[in-house]
């Protein structure tokens, strides 16, 4: 017979020896209970804690003197829960893994699973024996799982898990709604049942990428619903890893971006009216710039005539004013000419074009610029130039604009200009390089806008339309144009042609 009093651990934990009745326990068993890794306590009929082992005290964060002797009710978060437990035990019910929340000394709460029964001697209530297991981590992991599960379930997108062979492992409600299959119908099936007939080849490709650990991001594709409808889907597929970092499958989020028939019609209608409005506008600009040309010519011609015939009568101021009128008219004429060229890029000849020899087209552009080239004694060199698909007069205009800029924005006495082309993945990349004044990189996008100039007309004459025309020509041909430059370091204008 062993009466629990002060034990080895009590020296550390200051146990207050229970004054309530204690059971018949051998010293060996007592030692085992005291040192066990599992939390034990005994509670009297009125709820007073009679004894708690080290593991329990550690879990709760109390010294024995702060815990033993107090009422167990003080440590439960939910008062009703502990009342319930005590009533059930006093009715000789055994509790197994009964879950409840306790409050520790530091104020934190922990979920515990309680297994408990009453010990009676000669029919008299001695105490309850209670094993308490801390299940907080398990509980929060399962809470998290539940929360994530709820998010997945309530998502409007289809969220599907599959293994590396493409077998569907999970299927949420979004997937049911989008594809029309229930989870029972598809789990265990191969994902190819969702592929549109012309997209079957994609599946092995996507699975191959996943096996390499790659992700597929917002990939627009077609999939087939259960009722045969072809859906437009935006797909994001990411590999799933196990704890060791091995790839075990993939999670796939599919968003239905199919437009309804009425949405498609509305979009088409808006597109059509936009196209018409645009065409009208361009036609208007073209006609206006054409019709304005005539009266302007008249202003210029008569100003010149006036100047020639009546210069002496005008006096010095009058001659200056007339000169301003003439210069203004000439500049306006140039602007109108460029404006017409700009609108012509999209209004003329949309039909497919043949290949042209870009070297020959460059010759023509250089011939047009010959007077300026000779005057500035520019050195122009070129690499081999390919055949490309673009109307020749457009390519000529493009070369002419870029080279005339290179001649105008020169630095030093002799402009040096190089024209070359290099093959790239889907076509050619051309370059027109000069050794001129260069461009501040801050303006490298803006200079391609209509009427955007970095200098006054007095410094460098121009209309601010040359590069806008080039951009229009290149973009209509499916290419890209850009500049690489720095002030004082020359500029290289690049453009690509498919
Ligand atoms: P414009 O030359 O008639 O002003 P562009 O559209 O051809 O119009 O060019 C826009 C602006 O870009 C020019 O005003 C000039 O400041 C700058 N630019 C164009 N080409 C060059 C170049 N080769 N070197 C330096 N600056 C240039």
């Amino acid at each position: 017979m062993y009466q629990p009093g002060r034990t080895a651990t009590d020296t550390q934990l200051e146990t207050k020896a229970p004054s309530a009745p204690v059971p018949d326990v051998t010293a060996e068993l007592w030692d085992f209970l005291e040192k066990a890794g599992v939390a034990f306590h005994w509670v009297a009929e009125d709820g007073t804690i009679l004894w708690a082992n080290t593991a329990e005290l550690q879990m709760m964060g109390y010294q024995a003197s702060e815990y033993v002797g107090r009422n167990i009710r003080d440590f439960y978060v939910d008062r009703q829960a502990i009342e319930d437990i005590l009533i059930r035990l006093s009715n000789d019910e055994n509790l197994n893994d009964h879950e409840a929340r306790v409050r520790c000394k530091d104020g934190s709460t922990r979920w515990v699973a309680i297994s408990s029964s009453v010990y009676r001697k000669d029919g008299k209530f001695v105490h309850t024996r209670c094993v308490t297991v801390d299940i907080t981590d398990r509980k929060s992991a399962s809470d998290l799982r539940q929360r994530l599960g709820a998010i997945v379930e309530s998502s409007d997108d289809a969220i599907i898990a599959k293994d590396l062979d493409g077998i569907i492992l999970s299927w949420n409600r979004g997937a049911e709604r989008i594809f029309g299959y229930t989870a029972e119908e598809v789990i265990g099936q191969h994902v190819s049942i969702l592929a549109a007939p012309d997209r079957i080849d994609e599946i092995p490709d996507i699975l191959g990428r996943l096996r390499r650990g790659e992700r597929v991001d917002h990939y627009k594709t077609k999939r087939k619903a259960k009722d045969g409808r072809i859906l437009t889907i935006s797909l994001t597929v990411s590999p799933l890893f196990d704890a060791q970092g091995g790839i075990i499958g993939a999670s796939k989020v599919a968003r239905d971006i199919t437009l309804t028939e009425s949405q498609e019609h509305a979009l088409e209608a808006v597109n059509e009216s936009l196209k018409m409005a645009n065409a009208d506008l361009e036609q208007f600009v073209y006609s206006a710039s054409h019709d304005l040309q005539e009266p302007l010519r008249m202003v210029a011609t008569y100003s010149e005539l006036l100047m020639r015939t009546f210069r002496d009568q005008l006096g010095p101021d009058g001659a200056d004013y007339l000169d301003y009128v003439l210069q203004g008219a000439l500049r306006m004429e140039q602007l109108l000419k460029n404006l017409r060229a700009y609108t012509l890029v999209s209004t003329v000849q949309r039909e497919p074009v043949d290949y042209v020899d870009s070297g020959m087209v460059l010759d023509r552009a250089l011939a047009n610029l010959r007077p300026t080239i000779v005057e500035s004694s520019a050195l122009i060199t070129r690499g081999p130039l390919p055949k490309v698909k673009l109307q020749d007069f457009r390519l000529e205009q493009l070369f002419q604009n870029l080279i005339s800029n290179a001649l105008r924005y020169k630095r030093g006495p002799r402009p040096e200009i190089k024209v070359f082309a290099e093959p790239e993945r889907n076509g050619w990349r051309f370059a027109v390089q000069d050794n001129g004044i260069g461009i501040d990189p801050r303006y490298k996008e803006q200079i391609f806008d209509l009427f955007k100039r970095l200098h006054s007309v007095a410094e460098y004459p121009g209309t601010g339309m040359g590069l806008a025309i080039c951009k229009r020509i290149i973009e209509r041909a499916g290419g890209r144009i850009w500049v690489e430059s720095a002030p004082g370091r020359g500029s290289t204008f690049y453009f690509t042609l498919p």
Side-chain angles (χ1 to χ4, degrees):
M1 288 271 272
Y2 180 78
Q3 294 276 312
R6 294 187 71 81
T7 67
T9 38
D10 290 338
T11 45
Q12 298 149 20
L13 296 167
E14 260 190 77
T15 306
K16 179 177 150 199
S19 52
V22 286
D24 310 336
V25 180
T26 64
E28 191 190 342
L29 186 54
W30 187 253
D31 189 49
F32 166 74
L33 289 175
E34 189 58 65
K35 294 176 182 163
V38 182
F40 290 112
H41 68 250
W42 293 341
V43 169
E45 196 165 14
D46 64 356
T48 305
I49 301 168
L50 300 172
W51 167 76
N53 74 345
T54 312
E56 169 119 0
L57 293 169
Q58 274 172 353
M59 180 178 83
M60 299 299 290
Y62 286 101
Q63 298 286 321
S65 58
E66 299 166 322
Y67 194 61
V68 175
R70 284 180 64 185
N71 198 296
I72 191 73
R73 292 178 175 85
D74 298 344
F75 301 95
Y76 275 71
V77 174
D78 180 353
R79 210 45 198 240
Q80 194 52 48
I82 181 62
E83 291 304 343
D84 245 30
I85 292 172
L86 293 174
I87 291 169
R88 286 169 68 180
L89 287 171
S90 67
N91 289 335
D92 286 324
E93 212 182 300
N94 289 350
L95 297 182
N96 272 320
D97 285 332
H98 183 90
E99 293 181 6
R101 259 187 323 151
V102 292
R103 192 180 309 282
C104 305
K105 187 177 174 186
D106 63 7
S108 64
T109 60
R110 307 202 70 78
W111 276 99
V112 289
I114 299 155
S115 299
S116 186
S117 58
V118 172
Y119 172 65
R120 290 183 189 274
K121 195 171 181 188
D122 305 329
K124 227 179 110 214
F125 191 110
V126 179
H127 59 214
T128 63
R129 294 165 166 173
C130 200
V131 181
T132 313
V133 178
D134 185 347
I135 56 165
T136 313
D137 292 347
R138 194 175 83 199
K139 201 69 182 160
S140 60
S142 92
D143 279 359
L144 182 65
R145 257 203 311 278
Q146 260 177 12
R147 272 203 300 273
L148 288 179
I151 293 170
V152 168
E153 267 313 291
S154 62
S155 167
D156 267 353
D157 294 335
I159 301 179
I160 302 162
K162 60 187 178 188
D163 68 14
L164 284 180
D165 295 324
I167 302 299
I168 297 171
L169 303 174
S170 77
W171 185 259
N172 73 339
R173 244 179 284 148
E176 267 185 39
R177 194 181 52 76
I178 293 174
F179 295 106
Y181 292 101
T182 63
E184 292 74 45
E185 284 171 310
V186 285
I187 288 181
Q189 300 259 24
H190 195 267
V191 279
S192 54
I193 66 161
L194 305 175
D198 59 338
R199 302 297 172 108
I200 293 272
D201 295 349
E202 274 176 8
I203 309 268
D205 184 47
I206 292 178
L207 289 171
R209 289 175 65 177
L210 288 169
R211 285 193 199 99
R212 293 195 297 275
E214 291 170 20
R215 204 179 129 94
V216 177
D217 239 341
H218 299 299
Y219 173 63
K220 191 173 163 190
T221 183
K222 298 281 180 192
R223 291 289 179 260
K224 197 176 72 184
K226 185 180 174 185
D227 60 10
R229 266 176 316 122
I230 298 298
L231 310 170
T232 310
I233 294 287
S234 167
L235 210 60
T236 296
V237 195
S238 333
L240 289 174
F241 299 92
D242 63 13
Q244 284 72 43
I247 302 167
I248 48 168
S251 74
K252 160 166 140 178
V253 181
R255 174 162 295 184
D256 184 3
I257 52 170
T258 319
L259 292 180
T260 62
E261 216 167 305
S262 63
Q263 282 169 323
E264 291 233 27
H265 285 326
L267 205 64
E268 265 169 34
V270 171
N271 235 339
E272 214 33 57
S273 65
L274 260 178
K275 265 195 217 154
M276 275 164 65
N278 218 6
D280 280 355
L281 203 63
E282 298 217 336
Q283 188 55 45
F284 168 76
V285 173
Y286 182 77
S287 316
S289 54
H290 183 268
D291 294 351
L292 286 172
Q293 193 88 4
E294 212 32 58
L296 208 58
R297 193 80 296 269
M298 197 125 81
V299 173
T301 310
Y302 282 96
S303 307
E304 259 173 331
L305 206 58
L306 206 59
M307 184 74 98
R308 249 188 282 131
T309 324
F310 298 104
R311 184 176 197 115
D312 298 342
Q313 281 130 288
L314 288 171
D317 281 353
D320 278 354
Y321 298 159
L322 196 58
D323 194 42
Y324 294 150
V325 173
L326 185 57
Q327 293 311 319
L330 291 177
R331 181 161 162 69
M332 182 106 99
E333 228 180 351
Q334 191 58 37
L335 270 168
L336 291 176
K337 200 172 129 207
N338 284 348
L339 209 54
R340 263 206 328 279
Y342 183 80
T343 51
L344 273 178
V345 175
S346 58
T347 49
V348 175
Q349 291 198 11
R350 286 171 191 272
E351 66 270 16
V353 283
D354 266 347
Y355 281 97
V356 290
D357 182 334
S358 60
M360 277 166 63
V361 177
L362 176 65
D363 287 338
R364 289 214 302 265
L366 292 176
N368 300 340
L369 294 168
R370 195 169 166 70
T372 329
I373 295 173
V374 172
E375 189 198 323
S376 61
S377 51
L379 176 67
I380 300 181
T381 52
R382 60 206 280 180
L385 295 173
K387 289 194 169 170
V388 289
K389 247 186 174 181
L390 182 66
Q391 281 127 351
D392 54 354
F393 66 95
R394 296 217 195 291
L395 188 59
E396 184 179 324
Q397 186 164 34
L398 187 74
F399 278 137
Q400 195 167 315
N401 288 0
L402 294 178
I403 294 168
S404 99
N405 281 355
L407 291 166
R408 256 182 313 137
Y409 300 104
K410 65 177 181 174
R411 187 173 51 94
R414 189 171 196 203
E416 285 179 20
I417 302 167
K418 276 187 208 149
V419 183
F420 52 93
E422 282 163 359
E424 56 161 38
R425 208 154 64 95
N426 290 325
W428 289 91
R429 189 185 65 171
F430 286 76
V432 176
Q433 191 175 57
D434 65 49
N435 63 341
I437 57 172
I439 298 163
D440 186 329
R442 275 182 301 170
Y443 304 116
K444 64 187 216 174
E445 310 281 344
Q446 293 176 28
I447 54 170
F448 292 96
D449 292 345
L450 210 50
F451 304 123
K452 188 74 200 175
R453 310 203 65 230
L454 304 181
H455 309 277
S456 69
V457 177
E459 274 179 295
Y460 294 96
T463 57
M465 299 190 68
L467 291 179
I469 294 174
C470 293
K471 185 169 180 215
R472 212 163 202 227
I473 292 174
I474 286 298
E475 288 184 350
R476 303 261 147 160
R480 206 164 75 77
I481 184 166
W482 71 101
V483 66
E484 281 171 19
S485 181
R489 309 269 296 276
S491 313
T492 307
F493 283 84
Y494 292 100
F495 62 89
T496 59
L497 278 175

